[in-house]
Amino acid sequence: MSDDTLVLIVIAWLVSAIVGAIIGMQKGKAGKGAFLAFFFGPLGWLLMIWDVGIFPVVILVLLVGGVLVAGILASEKDKDRMQEIEREARRANDEYRRERNSGMFPMADGQ
C-alpha cells in the first residue's frame, strides 16, 4: 500500500468521525457519534441517527471483533501452510539434486 493511499484512508476515517460528531451534536451526544463513526463509518452514522442504545452497539463490536479475529487466525493458518509447502518443495529439490548428482538421472544432452 502506498503512502498516498494510507493518507487518504486516514483522512476518510477522520472525516467520518467528524460527520459522526456533527450528527451526535444534534442529539447532545457528540462523543458517541464520533466514536461510532470512527469505528463503523457510515454505519456508525446510521446508528447515531437512530440513536441506538449501548446493547446493540456492544453486540456489533463483538461481531466485528470476532470476524477480525477469525480473519487473523485464518491468515496465520495459511501462513503456516505456506511455510510447510516451501519446506516440502526445498526437500524435494534437494532430493532431486542429490539423485541427479549421483548419476541416477542422465543429462538430456547425453553426458
Side-chain angles (χ1 to χ4, degrees), residues 10 13 23 27 68 70 79 89 111:
V10 169
W13 212 351
I23 294 170
K27 299 183 182 255
L68 291 175
K79 187 172 105 178
Q111 293 179 354

Side-chain angles (χ1 to χ4, degrees), residues 4 15-16 24 26 28 42-44 46 48 54 68 75-76 79-80 89-90 95 97 100:
D4 294 338
V15 167
S16 178
Q26 305 302 315
L43 178 61
L46 292 175
M48 197 60 231
I54 192 67
L68 291 175
S75 70
E76 286 297 317
K79 187 172 105 178
D80 292 343
R90 276 192 223 109
E95 184 177 325
R97 286 183 182 186
R100 192 175 115 203

Side-chain angles (χ1 to χ4, degrees), residues 56-76:
V57 172
V58 169
I59 296 299
L60 185 60
V61 168
L62 292 174
L63 288 174
V64 170
V67 169
L68 291 175
V69 168
I72 290 168
L73 292 176
S75 70
E76 286 297 317

